[in-house]
mmCIF file of all heavy atoms in Angstrom:
data_model
loop_
_atom_site.group_PDB
_atom_site.id
_atom_site.type_symbol
_atom_site.label_atom_id
_atom_site.label_comp_id
_atom_site.label_asym_id
_atom_site.label_seq_id
_atom_site.Cartn_x
_atom_site.Cartn_y
_atom_site.Cartn_z
ATOM 1 N N ALA A 1 -75.056 112.267 229.353
ATOM 2 C CA ALA A 1 -75.705 111.309 228.460
ATOM 3 C C ALA A 1 -75.060 109.929 228.609
ATOM 4 O O ALA A 1 -73.934 109.786 229.066
ATOM 5 C CB ALA A 1 -75.589 111.787 227.016
ATOM 6 N N ASP A 2 -75.817 108.883 228.196
ATOM 7 C CA ASP A 2 -75.230 107.555 228.126
ATOM 8 C C ASP A 2 -74.228 107.537 226.975
ATOM 9 O O ASP A 2 -74.213 108.448 226.142
ATOM 10 C CB ASP A 2 -76.320 106.494 227.914
ATOM 11 C CG ASP A 2 -77.040 106.669 226.589
ATOM 12 O OD1 ASP A 2 -76.505 106.207 225.567
ATOM 13 O OD2 ASP A 2 -78.119 107.286 226.583
ATOM 14 N N PRO A 3 -73.332 106.519 226.893
ATOM 15 C CA PRO A 3 -72.253 106.549 225.901
ATOM 16 C C PRO A 3 -72.715 106.763 224.463
ATOM 17 O O PRO A 3 -72.146 107.578 223.741
ATOM 18 C CB PRO A 3 -71.589 105.176 226.086
ATOM 19 C CG PRO A 3 -71.844 104.839 227.522
ATOM 20 C CD PRO A 3 -73.208 105.392 227.827
ATOM 21 N N THR A 4 -73.756 106.058 224.037
ATOM 22 C CA THR A 4 -74.221 106.202 222.649
ATOM 23 C C THR A 4 -74.785 107.590 222.400
ATOM 24 O O THR A 4 -74.477 108.241 221.398
ATOM 25 C CB THR A 4 -75.279 105.143 222.323
ATOM 26 O OG1 THR A 4 -74.701 103.841 222.481
ATOM 27 C CG2 THR A 4 -75.776 105.306 220.892
ATOM 28 N N THR A 5 -75.621 108.077 223.325
ATOM 29 C CA THR A 5 -76.196 109.412 223.180
ATOM 30 C C THR A 5 -75.108 110.478 223.236
ATOM 31 O O THR A 5 -75.165 111.484 222.514
ATOM 32 C CB THR A 5 -77.237 109.670 224.277
ATOM 33 O OG1 THR A 5 -78.229 108.642 224.237
ATOM 34 C CG2 THR A 5 -77.910 111.024 224.087
ATOM 35 N N GLY A 6 -74.090 110.253 224.064
ATOM 36 C CA GLY A 6 -72.988 111.204 224.146
ATOM 37 C C GLY A 6 -72.234 111.315 222.846
ATOM 38 O O GLY A 6 -71.844 112.413 222.430
ATOM 39 N N VAL A 7 -72.015 110.168 222.159
ATOM 40 C CA VAL A 7 -71.348 110.184 220.857
ATOM 41 C C VAL A 7 -72.186 110.955 219.842
ATOM 42 O O VAL A 7 -71.677 111.778 219.074
ATOM 43 C CB VAL A 7 -71.078 108.752 220.356
ATOM 44 C CG1 VAL A 7 -70.620 108.764 218.901
ATOM 45 C CG2 VAL A 7 -70.026 108.082 221.230
ATOM 46 N N ILE A 8 -73.503 110.707 219.840
ATOM 47 C CA ILE A 8 -74.395 111.402 218.905
ATOM 48 C C ILE A 8 -74.380 112.904 219.178
ATOM 49 O O ILE A 8 -74.313 113.728 218.259
ATOM 50 C CB ILE A 8 -75.823 110.834 218.993
ATOM 51 C CG1 ILE A 8 -75.844 109.379 218.500
ATOM 52 C CG2 ILE A 8 -76.797 111.687 218.177
ATOM 53 C CD1 ILE A 8 -77.186 108.695 218.674
ATOM 54 N N ALA A 9 -74.433 113.301 220.458
ATOM 55 C CA ALA A 9 -74.414 114.727 220.804
ATOM 56 C C ALA A 9 -73.089 115.366 220.399
ATOM 57 O O ALA A 9 -73.055 116.499 219.906
ATOM 58 C CB ALA A 9 -74.646 114.901 222.304
ATOM 59 N N SER A 10 -71.999 114.634 220.592
ATOM 60 C CA SER A 10 -70.687 115.148 220.206
ATOM 61 C C SER A 10 -70.608 115.358 218.705
ATOM 62 O O SER A 10 -70.113 116.387 218.220
ATOM 63 C CB SER A 10 -69.607 114.169 220.668
ATOM 64 O OG SER A 10 -68.321 114.636 220.338
ATOM 65 N N PHE A 11 -71.109 114.412 217.932
ATOM 66 C CA PHE A 11 -71.119 114.551 216.478
ATOM 67 C C PHE A 11 -72.110 115.624 216.023
ATOM 68 O O PHE A 11 -71.941 116.209 214.951
ATOM 69 C CB PHE A 11 -71.448 113.216 215.817
ATOM 70 C CG PHE A 11 -70.268 112.279 215.737
ATOM 71 C CD1 PHE A 11 -70.423 110.915 215.959
ATOM 72 C CD2 PHE A 11 -69.005 112.744 215.429
ATOM 73 C CE1 PHE A 11 -69.345 110.047 215.887
ATOM 74 C CE2 PHE A 11 -67.916 111.898 215.361
ATOM 75 C CZ PHE A 11 -68.086 110.545 215.588
ATOM 76 N N ALA A 12 -73.144 115.892 216.820
ATOM 77 C CA ALA A 12 -74.073 116.962 216.479
ATOM 78 C C ALA A 12 -73.359 118.312 216.540
ATOM 79 O O ALA A 12 -73.544 119.174 215.669
ATOM 80 C CB ALA A 12 -75.269 116.953 217.424
ATOM 81 N N ALA A 13 -72.526 118.507 217.573
ATOM 82 C CA ALA A 13 -71.719 119.726 217.641
ATOM 83 C C ALA A 13 -70.759 119.791 216.459
ATOM 84 O O ALA A 13 -70.527 120.858 215.879
ATOM 85 C CB ALA A 13 -70.946 119.761 218.962
ATOM 86 N N PHE A 14 -70.201 118.640 216.086
ATOM 87 C CA PHE A 14 -69.326 118.557 214.913
ATOM 88 C C PHE A 14 -70.076 118.990 213.658
ATOM 89 O O PHE A 14 -69.547 119.717 212.812
ATOM 90 C CB PHE A 14 -68.837 117.114 214.784
ATOM 91 C CG PHE A 14 -68.015 116.835 213.556
ATOM 92 C CD1 PHE A 14 -66.727 117.315 213.439
ATOM 93 C CD2 PHE A 14 -68.525 116.062 212.528
ATOM 94 C CE1 PHE A 14 -65.957 117.042 212.308
ATOM 95 C CE2 PHE A 14 -67.773 115.783 211.400
ATOM 96 C CZ PHE A 14 -66.488 116.273 211.297
ATOM 97 N N ALA A 15 -71.342 118.565 213.528
ATOM 98 C CA ALA A 15 -72.128 118.848 212.322
ATOM 99 C C ALA A 15 -72.490 120.317 212.187
ATOM 100 O O ALA A 15 -72.745 120.800 211.081
ATOM 101 C CB ALA A 15 -73.404 118.006 212.317
ATOM 102 N N VAL A 16 -72.526 121.053 213.303
ATOM 103 C CA VAL A 16 -72.856 122.480 213.241
ATOM 104 C C VAL A 16 -71.891 123.221 212.322
ATOM 105 O O VAL A 16 -72.269 124.175 211.634
ATOM 106 C CB VAL A 16 -72.847 123.088 214.663
ATOM 107 C CG1 VAL A 16 -72.850 124.609 214.612
ATOM 108 C CG2 VAL A 16 -74.054 122.596 215.438
ATOM 109 N N GLY A 17 -70.656 122.782 212.299
ATOM 110 C CA GLY A 17 -69.687 123.408 211.412
ATOM 111 C C GLY A 17 -70.085 123.315 209.952
ATOM 112 O O GLY A 17 -69.797 124.219 209.156
ATOM 113 N N PHE A 18 -70.767 122.237 209.593
ATOM 114 C CA PHE A 18 -71.193 122.078 208.209
ATOM 115 C C PHE A 18 -72.381 122.974 207.884
ATOM 116 O O PHE A 18 -72.535 123.410 206.743
ATOM 117 C CB PHE A 18 -71.540 120.612 207.953
ATOM 118 C CG PHE A 18 -70.351 119.702 208.029
ATOM 119 C CD1 PHE A 18 -70.058 119.003 209.184
ATOM 120 C CD2 PHE A 18 -69.500 119.569 206.951
ATOM 121 C CE1 PHE A 18 -68.960 118.186 209.262
ATOM 122 C CE2 PHE A 18 -68.391 118.754 207.012
ATOM 123 C CZ PHE A 18 -68.117 118.057 208.173
ATOM 124 N N VAL A 19 -73.210 123.253 208.868
ATOM 125 C CA VAL A 19 -74.318 124.193 208.658
ATOM 126 C C VAL A 19 -73.770 125.585 208.366
ATOM 127 O O VAL A 19 -74.315 126.329 207.544
ATOM 128 C CB VAL A 19 -75.234 124.215 209.897
ATOM 129 C CG1 VAL A 19 -76.330 125.259 209.736
ATOM 130 C CG2 VAL A 19 -75.852 122.832 210.129
ATOM 131 N N ALA A 20 -72.673 125.932 209.024
ATOM 132 C CA ALA A 20 -72.102 127.267 208.851
ATOM 133 C C ALA A 20 -71.315 127.411 207.559
ATOM 134 O O ALA A 20 -71.128 128.531 207.066
ATOM 135 C CB ALA A 20 -71.188 127.593 210.037
ATOM 136 N N ARG A 21 -70.852 126.318 206.998
ATOM 137 C CA ARG A 21 -69.973 126.412 205.834
ATOM 138 C C ARG A 21 -70.622 127.086 204.621
ATOM 139 O O ARG A 21 -69.977 127.916 203.964
ATOM 140 C CB ARG A 21 -69.438 125.025 205.474
ATOM 141 C CG ARG A 21 -68.295 124.599 206.388
ATOM 142 C CD ARG A 21 -67.865 123.178 206.180
ATOM 143 N NE ARG A 21 -67.320 122.956 204.835
ATOM 144 C CZ ARG A 21 -66.729 121.826 204.467
ATOM 145 N NH1 ARG A 21 -66.602 120.824 205.339
ATOM 146 N NH2 ARG A 21 -66.254 121.684 203.248
ATOM 147 N N PRO A 22 -71.884 126.791 204.272
ATOM 148 C CA PRO A 22 -72.488 127.515 203.137
ATOM 149 C C PRO A 22 -72.618 129.011 203.393
ATOM 150 O O PRO A 22 -72.494 129.813 202.463
ATOM 151 C CB PRO A 22 -73.870 126.861 202.989
ATOM 152 C CG PRO A 22 -73.737 125.541 203.651
ATOM 153 C CD PRO A 22 -72.783 125.744 204.775
ATOM 154 N N ILE A 23 -72.885 129.384 204.648
ATOM 155 C CA ILE A 23 -72.974 130.812 204.964
ATOM 156 C C ILE A 23 -71.626 131.473 204.717
ATOM 157 O O ILE A 23 -71.537 132.547 204.103
ATOM 158 C CB ILE A 23 -73.430 131.004 206.426
ATOM 159 C CG1 ILE A 23 -74.775 130.331 206.659
ATOM 160 C CG2 ILE A 23 -73.510 132.496 206.759
ATOM 161 C CD1 ILE A 23 -75.223 130.342 208.111
ATOM 162 N N GLY A 24 -70.564 130.816 205.196
ATOM 163 C CA GLY A 24 -69.226 131.337 204.922
ATOM 164 C C GLY A 24 -68.913 131.354 203.446
ATOM 165 O O GLY A 24 -68.284 132.289 202.939
ATOM 166 N N GLY A 25 -69.362 130.308 202.726
ATOM 167 C CA GLY A 25 -69.133 130.259 201.287
ATOM 168 C C GLY A 25 -69.801 131.405 200.558
ATOM 169 O O GLY A 25 -69.224 131.997 199.629
ATOM 170 N N ILE A 26 -71.028 131.747 200.964
ATOM 171 C CA ILE A 26 -71.756 132.850 200.325
ATOM 172 C C ILE A 26 -71.065 134.182 200.606
ATOM 173 O O ILE A 26 -70.829 134.995 199.703
ATOM 174 C CB ILE A 26 -73.218 132.880 200.816
ATOM 175 C CG1 ILE A 26 -73.984 131.665 200.274
ATOM 176 C CG2 ILE A 26 -73.904 134.178 200.397
ATOM 177 C CD1 ILE A 26 -75.371 131.516 200.851
ATOM 178 N N VAL A 27 -70.724 134.421 201.867
ATOM 179 C CA VAL A 27 -70.117 135.702 202.249
ATOM 180 C C VAL A 27 -68.728 135.855 201.631
ATOM 181 O O VAL A 27 -68.429 136.861 200.975
ATOM 182 C CB VAL A 27 -70.044 135.827 203.786
ATOM 183 C CG1 VAL A 27 -69.270 137.085 204.173
ATOM 184 C CG2 VAL A 27 -71.441 135.852 204.384
ATOM 185 N N PHE A 28 -67.875 134.858 201.831
ATOM 186 C CA PHE A 28 -66.529 134.939 201.280
ATOM 187 C C PHE A 28 -66.560 134.895 199.750
ATOM 188 O O PHE A 28 -65.742 135.537 199.086
ATOM 189 C CB PHE A 28 -65.665 133.801 201.819
ATOM 190 C CG PHE A 28 -65.128 134.041 203.202
ATOM 191 C CD1 PHE A 28 -65.797 133.566 204.306
ATOM 192 C CD2 PHE A 28 -63.948 134.744 203.384
ATOM 193 C CE1 PHE A 28 -65.307 133.779 205.586
ATOM 194 C CE2 PHE A 28 -63.449 134.970 204.663
ATOM 195 C CZ PHE A 28 -64.137 134.482 205.770
ATOM 196 N N GLY A 29 -67.480 134.119 199.183
ATOM 197 C CA GLY A 29 -67.601 134.054 197.738
ATOM 198 C C GLY A 29 -67.960 135.401 197.135
ATOM 199 O O GLY A 29 -67.405 135.812 196.104
ATOM 200 N N HIS A 30 -68.910 136.097 197.779
ATOM 201 C CA HIS A 30 -69.318 137.422 197.286
ATOM 202 C C HIS A 30 -68.132 138.382 197.263
ATOM 203 O O HIS A 30 -67.846 139.017 196.242
ATOM 204 C CB HIS A 30 -70.425 137.984 198.180
ATOM 205 C CG HIS A 30 -70.768 139.412 197.890
ATOM 206 N ND1 HIS A 30 -71.595 139.778 196.850
ATOM 207 C CD2 HIS A 30 -70.369 140.575 198.487
ATOM 208 C CE1 HIS A 30 -71.705 141.106 196.820
ATOM 209 N NE2 HIS A 30 -70.974 141.606 197.803
ATOM 210 N N TYR A 31 -67.435 138.474 198.396
ATOM 211 C CA TYR A 31 -66.318 139.421 198.462
ATOM 212 C C TYR A 31 -65.108 138.920 197.684
ATOM 213 O O TYR A 31 -64.288 139.735 197.220
ATOM 214 C CB TYR A 31 -65.972 139.709 199.914
ATOM 215 C CG TYR A 31 -67.016 140.557 200.597
ATOM 216 C CD1 TYR A 31 -67.917 139.986 201.502
ATOM 217 C CD2 TYR A 31 -67.135 141.912 200.310
ATOM 218 C CE1 TYR A 31 -68.902 140.762 202.111
ATOM 219 C CE2 TYR A 31 -68.117 142.687 200.902
ATOM 220 C CZ TYR A 31 -68.992 142.112 201.798
ATOM 221 O OH TYR A 31 -69.974 142.882 202.385
ATOM 222 N N GLY A 32 -64.984 137.601 197.514
ATOM 223 C CA GLY A 32 -63.911 137.080 196.675
ATOM 224 C C GLY A 32 -64.094 137.443 195.221
ATOM 225 O O GLY A 32 -63.122 137.721 194.505
ATOM 226 N N ASP A 33 -65.354 137.489 194.764
ATOM 227 C CA ASP A 33 -65.646 137.907 193.390
ATOM 228 C C ASP A 33 -65.620 139.427 193.234
ATOM 229 O O ASP A 33 -65.391 139.940 192.139
ATOM 230 C CB ASP A 33 -67.021 137.376 192.954
ATOM 231 C CG ASP A 33 -66.990 135.904 192.582
ATOM 232 O OD1 ASP A 33 -65.956 135.447 192.069
ATOM 233 O OD2 ASP A 33 -68.000 135.212 192.804
ATOM 234 N N ARG A 34 -65.861 140.141 194.337
ATOM 235 C CA ARG A 34 -65.886 141.599 194.272
ATOM 236 C C ARG A 34 -64.528 142.230 194.587
ATOM 237 O O ARG A 34 -64.099 143.178 193.930
ATOM 238 C CB ARG A 34 -66.928 142.144 195.274
ATOM 239 C CG ARG A 34 -68.368 141.809 194.918
ATOM 240 C CD ARG A 34 -68.835 142.592 193.705
ATOM 241 N NE ARG A 34 -68.724 144.030 193.923
ATOM 242 C CZ ARG A 34 -68.708 144.920 192.941
ATOM 243 N NH1 ARG A 34 -68.790 144.532 191.684
ATOM 244 N NH2 ARG A 34 -68.603 146.222 193.212
ATOM 245 N N LEU A 35 -63.826 141.713 195.618
ATOM 246 C CA LEU A 35 -62.596 142.348 196.101
ATOM 247 C C LEU A 35 -61.340 141.569 195.768
ATOM 248 O O LEU A 35 -60.238 142.122 195.822
ATOM 249 C CB LEU A 35 -62.674 142.551 197.625
ATOM 250 C CG LEU A 35 -63.870 143.353 198.153
ATOM 251 C CD1 LEU A 35 -63.813 143.427 199.676
ATOM 252 C CD2 LEU A 35 -63.898 144.748 197.538
ATOM 253 N N GLY A 36 -61.477 140.280 195.480
ATOM 254 C CA GLY A 36 -60.301 139.485 195.141
ATOM 255 C C GLY A 36 -60.181 138.218 195.953
ATOM 256 O O GLY A 36 -60.706 138.109 197.066
#
């Protein structure tokens, strides 16, 4: 990619972590309330 597009693509990979965080919150939250 050109420099600007490369930065956007790099930050897009960075943003994927935020998509996963609610899923982790739901799973860990459930077992945190159930198991400790």
